[in-house]
Amino acid sequence: MLYFKKIFRQILPAALPCLLLATAATPAFSQKTLSQTDAERYYQTGLELIEKRQYTAAMQPFAAYLQASPKGVHAADASYYSANAALNLTHPDAERQYLTFLETYPDNPRTNNAYTDLGNFYYQTRQYDKTIHYLSRAHLDKLPKAEQAEIKFRLGYAYLSRKEFGRADTIFNQIKNTENAYTAASNYYASYLNVRSGKYEKALPGLEKADKDPAFRGMTPLLRTIIHYKQKRYAQAIASGEAALKDTAKVSGGDEIALLVAESYFQSGDFKAAAKNFDMYRQTNKGALLPAVRYRMAYSYFKAGEPDKAIEDFKLISAGTDTAAARKDSLVQYSAYYLGMAYVQKDNKAFALPAFDIARKTGPNRSVQESAWFTYGKINFDLGRYNEAIDIFKTYAIRFSDAPNESESNDLLSEAYLNTSDYDQALTHIGNLKKRSPRVDAAYQRVAFMKGTRLYNENQFSEANSFFESSLKFPNDSGVVTAAHFWAGEALSAGKNYTEALAHYDVLLKRPKFKGNEYYLRTVYATAYAYFNTKAYDKALPLFKEYTFALEKAENKLYYNDALIRLGDCYYTQKDYTNAIATFDKCIALNVPDADYAWYQKGVVQTVSEKTDEARRSFDMVVTKYGNGRFRDEALFQKARLDFEKGSYQTAASGFTELINTGTNRNILAYSYLNRGLANSNLKNYTEAAADFRKIIDEFPSHKTANGALLGLQDVLTATGKLDEFNEYLAKYKQANPDDKSLASVEFETAKNLYFDQKYDKAITGFEEYLQKYPGTALGYEAKFYLAESYYRQNDKIKSAMAHKDVVAENKSTNLNKSLARLGEIEMAEGKWQDAISRYHSLQALAKNKKEAVNAVVGMMEAAFIGGRYDTTATLANEIVNKGNAGAEALNKASLYLGKVDYANGNTEKALDEFIEVLNSAKDQNGAEAQYLMGEIQNKTGKYRESQETLFDLNKNFSAYRKWYDKSFLLIADNYTALNDTYNAKYALEKLVENSSDPAVKEAARQKLELLKTKKAQ
């Protein structure tokens, strides 16, 4: 509806002509007794004074006349003239005198004059009810034509003023087509009344006649523009209005004309012109803008590409939605919606969120609500707030099924699940869709791949492979296809399904132009290892050779060192001892991380080549150069074996003794006891030999050497005549290796499968029952480990730690190192950082591979930082970085802790450099923490806007890591508060209270909200 002020200039006709009567000169008053002649003289004097407009003087002789001759021939006239004089003098008694006259002389010809006198007087004084009362009683046909037109106009105007529009319209129509002084005015007001009643066509001709009078020429443009607008003739309204606005000094209602022109442009869809004219109206309008006008004004700014202006007006309309009426107002709903769109137009999506939140929750228009709901979700998605986007799109799917945005909503929901790493929900969602777009299929390809990756990292290789295979069913993204083939091969290799793994690698290696792909060399390396593990060394050798040749001079050598070692092993298996030794020598010269292994293998090759002295020197290098390294025990064992095989049993026995006294590798210890027992047996040292054989059966009852020890003990006891002692050890052996192995194995595997199926409560029951039935068995040691892990998975850290401590104390489980790592993790979480460091030291000493060794150093680094030992933390972090082959996750964490140490020491600039380095390579929780700490540093140094940008990037890139995601919003709210933007600070905190799953974050957000309210109240 168009609102405009009904401002019309009141054009009052000229005052009524005074009623003058020619009279004789007024004689002086006589003191004689009044007579008829004297009365006549008074009357004539009064007439003369009336003619001269000496109304005060005239009233006395008329009064004298009426006193002298109350029923005289001039009594009626004297009564009339006396009232007329009083009226001209505006005496309060004038109306009463007229009424007395009318009552006394109702048939007098001057009654008509009395009615018109009173009507004209009250017209002049704007008392229109009395104007109507008196003028409507006059007999107009007895008046002159000119006076008739005047009286009719005044009566019509009075009716108009009293809002008796029908009567006013009748009178104006009576005189508008006659030629008189009131023709223009009557046409104008008749046109006004026609406009008011919607008779637009009928109104236009009257305006043409009104234009002839200069007094109305400035008033007709407004009415004419209104008529065109109401008839939706917007081009004519624009033309009429713009013509009038060229000289606003000569036009009344210029602000309203500007508004009408703006509205006409708005209705025509020319929003730039509309915005220009709305600006003109805003400048000239003195009153408050009506909400509907403000909305169209803001919408015009929005469409004209002036979002800043649009935002200010949309804000005013959409503000204050805390009442039921406001929440149901469609204007509020539309304004909130387009406020959001204006922020989007400015690429300020964070500020758009509160506006769309209002639009989706308020107003009656379901279409706007649906679009706002969808856009609110989409912006959350674009900002990387994937958890919020998921909640929004899930509700959207229920509330707006079959909506126009349903398909894209499903696409975005699928991708949001993917980005939050909630792959199970993503797969469930996609599986339930009735229709799947190509975008959803592409998302499914990625989701299935990422789910497979997660399972792979959790060592669930079979399950991981099934998802890689599922991903390959939707080959939308060739890059994902390549990665899926590669990791499917890796998962199968991890599960020792090398034949199937090779099929995946082969697909990639047969691709044209694959050689330049980032996965090419990794595939060559993986294929070589698959052949190596299947003992197809002849096929593995050329691939390891190609891989090492390609990376020999590369800056990033990836797995070059390891491949070079394996190349040497392949040469060894192919009995190419010369190249094997040359390759191991190359490893030694390069000082690769596995140089101790290279020395050891070189010794083995030399042993096979019957280069005994060279072999002994190589084994000595392993022991002397690498101290307590991984292959020390093996090297000592091989040296002793050389003596044993040479027949130097005493020397061999001494070598095995050294190993038994100092060695840590239980497997080699078992072999050492067996070989020393055999050496002593050959030396006929039967007591010592029997002790070694008994040791094996007591401590290694399920080891491969146990059977040999049992036979050796039988021989020794036979030789010494103590065969009766044999049954005791035979019983121990049988207990450790019962004939019915299948039952124990089945029960163990059942419990183990329950563990891997994540049914931890049932797994605990199964392992406890197994340990009661089969105490002291080899599988029992493993059962204790899985029992400890089951408690851990159920978050019972106390029982988990107790069980893991048993595993460590027994020192017989193949998972000993994993127990050490878990104990370190638990103790670190409890703040027992010194105990944790001790665990990780033990793990480092017993590490079976590089990964375990690196993880041990990482654990010590984290524990040292918790304990405030920053120098130690930095030393350990640099050790990881300088290794170069520690793995991406460990390198990222080391860089992160280098930054945290600098931050803790107050060196924020250096800390920022470290955090940026982490972000350049880490897309994991290390990256999330690094980005949060960058935002925190910027906040503490007063760089609030830079901090906001950093934290918004965190929300987009690391929304899966809820700890840092939620904490970032607390910091975002602090930044908004520091920037005096309490509106968005309040919004961020309210969302945390509503959505965060972290009780500590919720409470912190509540406290900050209360503080904001307190400040606002002050």
Side-chain angles (χ1 to χ4, degrees):
M1 175 182 176
L2 174 65
Y3 294 88
F4 54 90
K5 299 176 184 175
K6 299 172 182 175
I7 301 175
F8 300 98
R9 182 180 300 169
Q10 181 177 344
I11 304 299
L12 295 177
L16 287 174
C18 296
L19 301 175
L20 303 176
L21 298 176
T23 57
T26 305
F29 287 104
S30 171
Q31 299 299 319
K32 301 178 188 178
T33 303
L34 292 176
S35 66
Q36 187 65 35
T37 302
D38 292 333
E40 181 66 27
R41 190 166 54 250
Y42 293 149
Y43 175 73
Q44 291 300 327
T45 299
L47 287 179
E48 290 175 3
L49 291 170
I50 286 290
E51 184 177 358
K52 295 176 181 179
R53 299 186 181 183
Q54 297 179 16
Y55 301 116
T56 303
M59 289 179 69
Q60 187 175 354
F62 284 133
Y65 174 82
L66 289 171
Q67 184 178 5
S69 182
K71 294 185 179 181
V73 67
H74 297 299
D77 289 342
S79 178
Y80 167 76
Y81 288 131
S82 179
N84 182 259
L87 186 65
N88 276 290
L89 293 169
T90 65
H91 281 192
D93 192 43
E95 185 177 15
R96 185 196 61 75
Q97 290 187 44
Y98 269 111
L99 292 175
T100 300
F101 166 75
L102 290 168
E103 184 179 346
T104 306
Y105 309 103
D107 298 323
N108 190 281
R110 294 194 184 280
T111 57
N112 217 33
N113 298 92
Y115 285 126
T116 58
D117 287 351
L118 285 169
N120 286 327
F121 173 79
Y122 285 119
Y123 178 82
Q124 296 286 4
T125 59
R126 301 176 186 268
Q127 299 182 58
Y128 297 119
D129 52 345
K130 288 191 173 185
T131 299
I132 294 168
H133 178 75
Y134 291 115
L135 290 184
S136 64
R137 283 163 173 71
H139 296 286
L140 298 184
D141 57 338
K142 296 179 181 180
L143 297 173
K145 293 288 185 183
E147 194 174 342
Q148 286 182 30
E150 181 179 57
I151 296 301
K152 281 185 177 181
F153 176 78
R154 291 184 171 187
L155 184 58
Y157 192 88
Y159 279 128
L160 177 64
S161 299
R162 295 290 297 166
K163 297 185 179 180
E164 295 184 44
F165 302 120
R167 291 182 175 183
D169 185 55
T170 299
I171 292 173
F172 288 135
N173 276 305
Q174 287 174 2
I175 58 176
K176 71 177 184 179
N177 292 322
T178 61
E179 290 299 325
N180 55 70
Y182 299 97
T183 300
S186 298
N187 273 282
Y188 176 80
Y189 290 122
S191 293
Y192 164 72
L193 290 168
N194 282 324
V195 169
R196 192 181 180 284
S197 60
K199 301 172 183 176
Y200 304 119
E201 288 296 333
K202 195 175 179 181
L204 280 172
L207 294 179
E208 298 298 327
K209 292 184 179 181
D211 275 337
K212 294 177 181 178
D213 188 337
F216 290 96
R217 196 170 297 144
M219 299 170 65
T220 57
L222 176 58
L223 275 184
R224 187 174 286 107
T225 307
I226 291 171
I227 290 167
H228 291 315
Y229 180 82
K230 288 290 188 179
Q231 291 185 311
K232 299 183 180 180
R233 297 201 299 250
Y234 302 121
Q236 291 93 321
I238 291 167
S240 170
E242 288 185 339
L245 292 172
K246 288 180 180 177
D247 190 355
T248 55
K250 296 181 180 179
V251 176
S252 64
D255 57 341
E256 296 303 312
I257 293 174
L259 176 58
L260 286 164
V261 171
E263 296 282 6
S264 296
Y265 276 122
F266 181 90
Q267 298 296 341
S268 303
D270 188 344
F271 298 108
K272 283 193 176 181
K276 176 183 175 183
N277 283 276
F278 276 127
D279 276 341
M280 189 185 302
Y281 172 68
R282 190 194 287 272
Q283 293 166 8
T284 56
N285 175 55
K286 303 298 182 184
L289 290 175
L290 291 167
V293 173
R294 189 184 295 279
Y295 169 77
R296 288 191 289 275
M297 189 178 289
Y299 186 82
S300 297
Y301 293 144
F302 169 72
K303 297 294 284 186
E306 298 182 71
D308 289 319
K309 286 184 176 181
I311 285 168
E312 293 307 312
D313 283 316
F314 283 137
K315 264 187 178 180
L316 289 173
I317 303 170
S318 60
T321 55
D322 53 351
T323 65
R327 287 192 291 271
K328 294 178 182 177
D329 190 340
S330 62
L331 203 61
V332 171
Q333 183 187 28
Y334 273 99
S335 296
Y337 178 80
Y338 283 109
L339 173 61
M341 293 300 291
Y343 277 126
V344 171
Q345 199 175 66
K346 283 173 62 65
D347 197 27
N348 193 341
K349 293 180 179 179
F351 279 58
L353 278 176
F356 285 119
D357 199 21
I358 292 171
R360 74 191 179 106
K361 293 176 179 177
T362 61
N365 191 301
R366 183 171 173 79
S367 176
V368 174
Q369 190 179 51
E370 178 272 326
S371 183
W373 202 288
F374 170 76
T375 310
Y376 183 70
K378 191 172 187 299
I379 289 177
N380 272 288
F381 179 90
D382 292 341
L383 292 175
R385 300 173 60 178
Y386 301 116
N387 291 295
E388 286 85 347
I390 287 169
D391 292 339
I392 293 159
F393 286 132
K394 282 169 67 177
T395 307
Y396 175 87
I398 297 170
R399 295 184 62 170
F400 303 102
S401 57
D402 299 323
N405 295 304
E406 180 187 20
S407 178
E408 188 175 359
S409 170
N410 285 328
D411 292 349
L412 292 171
L413 180 53
S414 303
E415 292 180 20
Y417 279 127
L418 171 62
N419 288 321
T420 57
S421 305
D422 195 345
Y423 307 130
D424 292 330
Q425 286 283 4
L427 293 168
T428 300
H429 166 69
I430 294 172
N432 290 334
L433 291 178
K434 296 177 183 177
K435 298 178 182 177
R436 283 168 58 165
S437 66
R439 187 173 176 181
V440 169
D441 283 342
Y444 180 84
Q445 179 195 22
R446 292 163 58 206
V447 171
F449 173 75
M450 296 306 295
K451 174 67 174 177
T453 302
R454 173 178 289 176
L455 291 168
Y456 180 90
N457 290 332
E458 293 173 355
N459 298 326
Q460 298 183 48
F461 303 116
S462 177
E463 294 85 346
N465 180 59
S466 69
F467 282 99
F468 292 137
E469 297 288 357
S470 295
S471 175
L472 288 169
K473 292 177 183 177
F474 297 91
N476 297 65
D477 186 322
S478 61
V480 177
V481 170
T482 299
H485 272 302
F486 176 78
W487 289 109
E490 293 293 273
L492 289 163
S493 291
K496 300 187 180 350
N497 296 319
Y498 299 114
T499 302
E500 294 177 48
L502 285 166
H504 281 283
Y505 299 142
D506 194 47
V507 169
L508 296 178
L509 292 175
K510 286 182 177 178
R511 280 186 178 179
K513 300 182 180 179
F514 181 59
K515 201 163 187 177
N517 190 281
E518 61 175 315
Y519 276 97
Y520 175 72
L521 285 176
R522 296 175 73 181
T523 305
V524 170
Y525 176 76
T527 306
Y529 245 111
Y531 283 130
F532 185 87
N533 287 327
T534 55
K535 304 188 186 318
Y537 303 115
D538 57 330
K539 293 181 179 179
L541 193 152
L543 292 169
F544 281 128
K545 191 174 182 179
E546 177 186 357
Y547 184 84
T548 54
F549 179 79
L551 292 177
E552 187 171 17
K553 296 181 181 179
E555 185 175 343
N556 183 358
K557 292 187 178 298
L558 295 176
Y559 307 109
Y560 172 80
N561 294 334
D562 183 68
L564 197 62
I565 289 286
R566 294 284 86 84
L567 178 61
D569 288 338
C570 287
Y571 280 130
Y572 167 56
T573 63
Q574 299 302 295
K575 299 183 180 181
D576 186 347
Y577 303 133
T578 300
N579 276 321
I581 291 174
T583 303
F584 291 130
D585 280 338
K586 190 172 186 179
C587 292
I588 292 165
L590 291 172
N591 195 26
V592 300
D594 292 325
D596 54 347
Y597 175 81
W599 275 111
Y600 175 76
Q601 282 294 84
K602 180 181 177 182
V604 171
V605 175
Q606 289 167 333
T607 299
V608 175
S609 303
E610 298 182 356
K611 298 177 180 179
T612 306
D613 293 337
E614 290 90 333
R616 188 181 296 279
R617 284 194 291 273
S618 293
F619 293 136
D620 280 338
M621 285 298 295
V622 174
V623 175
T624 57
K625 186 173 183 178
Y626 297 98
N628 293 321
R630 294 172 298 158
F631 297 99
R632 173 187 177 276
D633 291 358
E634 285 90 337
L636 286 174
F637 181 81
Q638 291 295 342
K639 282 179 63 181
R641 283 289 298 171
L642 287 173
D643 290 324
F644 185 91
E645 290 173 2
K646 186 180 175 183
S648 302
Y649 300 120
Q650 189 60 56
T651 306
S654 299
F656 290 128
T657 298
E658 180 185 358
L659 183 53
I660 289 167
N661 290 336
T662 61
T664 58
N665 188 312
R666 287 183 58 80
N667 184 51
I668 294 176
L669 283 176
Y671 280 110
S672 296
Y673 277 118
L674 178 64
N675 281 275
R676 189 175 71 173
L678 293 172
N680 279 316
S681 180
N682 288 333
L683 292 169
K684 301 187 184 308
N685 296 328
Y686 297 125
T687 301
E688 291 85 347
D692 283 338
F693 296 142
R694 287 190 181 102
K695 184 78 170 178
I696 292 172
I697 298 170
D698 284 335
E699 294 193 11
F700 306 91
S702 299
H703 195 268
K704 293 178 181 179
T705 58
N707 185 267
L710 188 67
L711 295 175
L713 181 61
Q714 184 181 33
D715 290 340
V716 168
L717 292 176
T718 300
T720 58
K722 298 179 181 179
L723 192 57
D724 57 323
E725 298 177 8
F726 181 69
N727 287 337
E728 176 187 349
Y729 285 92
L730 177 60
K732 287 184 179 180
Y733 178 81
K734 285 184 177 181
Q735 183 180 5
N737 302 277
D739 292 336
D740 188 7
K741 296 178 182 179
S742 60
L743 180 60
S745 177
V746 166
E747 292 185 28
F748 174 78
E749 290 300 327
T750 299
K752 188 176 176 182
N753 287 335
L754 288 169
Y755 169 81
F756 284 111
D757 287 343
Q758 301 180 16
K759 299 174 181 177
Y760 301 118
D761 53 342
K762 293 183 178 179
I764 288 169
T765 301
F767 287 129
E768 287 179 340
E769 289 179 354
Y770 180 87
L771 289 169
Q772 288 177 354
K773 288 183 182 179
Y774 308 104
T777 64
L779 290 178
Y781 303 133
E782 309 312 315
K784 282 189 179 180
F785 168 77
Y786 285 113
L787 176 63
E789 282 296 278
S790 297
Y791 281 130
Y792 179 83
R793 300 297 180 185
Q794 284 199 317
N795 206 33
D796 190 341
K797 303 295 176 59
I798 295 175
K799 288 186 178 179
S800 177
M802 290 173 62
H804 277 303
K805 286 176 181 178
D806 285 344
V807 173
V808 172
E810 289 174 346
N811 195 26
K812 293 180 180 179
S813 171
T814 59
N815 289 298
L816 171 64
N817 290 2
K818 292 180 180 178
S819 285
L820 284 168
R822 184 68 77 201
L823 279 171
E825 177 188 339
I826 293 172
E827 288 164 345
M828 187 158 54
E830 293 175 346
K832 300 175 182 177
W833 57 273
Q834 288 179 318
D835 291 340
I837 288 176
S838 177
R839 300 293 182 191
Y840 289 124
H841 267 305
S842 298
L843 175 61
Q844 186 181 31
L846 296 174
K848 297 177 182 177
N849 51 53
K850 288 181 291 184
K851 184 176 181 180
E852 284 187 352
V854 169
N855 287 345
V857 179
V858 169
M860 286 188 283
M861 173 186 71
E862 292 178 308
F865 185 83
I866 291 172
R869 295 168 61 179
Y870 300 133
D871 290 343
T872 302
T873 304
T875 299
L876 292 167
N878 282 315
E879 180 182 336
I880 295 168
V881 172
N882 293 332
K883 280 184 181 295
N885 63 342
E889 205 276 339
L891 288 172
N892 292 336
K893 189 174 288 289
S895 295
L896 172 67
Y897 272 83
L898 285 172
K900 289 173 74 170
V901 167
D902 288 326
Y903 187 12
N905 288 329
N907 192 348
T908 55
E909 288 300 321
K910 191 175 179 183
L912 285 172
D913 290 341
E914 290 289 352
F915 294 147
I916 290 170
E917 184 176 338
V918 175
L919 281 175
N920 287 336
S921 59
K923 302 304 176 188
D924 54 14
Q925 62 183 354
N926 297 307
E929 184 175 0
Q931 192 143 24
Y932 174 82
L933 292 172
M934 285 178 64
E936 186 176 76
I937 290 172
Q938 290 162 336
N939 169 273
K940 288 182 177 179
T941 54
K943 298 177 180 179
Y944 304 117
R945 297 192 185 280
E946 292 90 334
S947 177
Q948 292 294 68
E949 291 178 8
T950 298
L951 296 170
F952 284 144
D953 284 345
L954 184 154
N955 294 340
K956 184 174 183 178
N957 299 326
F958 299 103
S959 65
Y961 302 99
R962 294 297 303 187
K963 174 182 176 181
W964 303 110
Y965 182 80
D966 285 0
K967 286 187 70 174
S968 73
F969 274 99
L970 287 174
L971 199 51
I972 284 169
D974 288 345
N975 286 331
Y976 277 134
T977 302
L979 293 168
N980 294 319
D981 188 351
T982 55
Y983 178 81
N984 279 298
K986 180 172 173 284
Y987 178 76
L989 293 171
E990 286 173 343
K991 286 297 176 185
L992 271 181
V993 172
E994 181 181 342
N995 297 322
S996 178
S997 58
D998 187 333
V1001 170
K1002 275 182 178 283
E1003 182 56 31
R1006 283 195 192 95
Q1007 291 179 8
K1008 288 179 184 289
L1009 271 175
E1010 288 300 319
L1011 188 60
L1012 278 179
K1013 291 176 183 176
T1014 303
K1015 287 183 178 179
K1016 188 175 181 182
Q1018 293 173 348

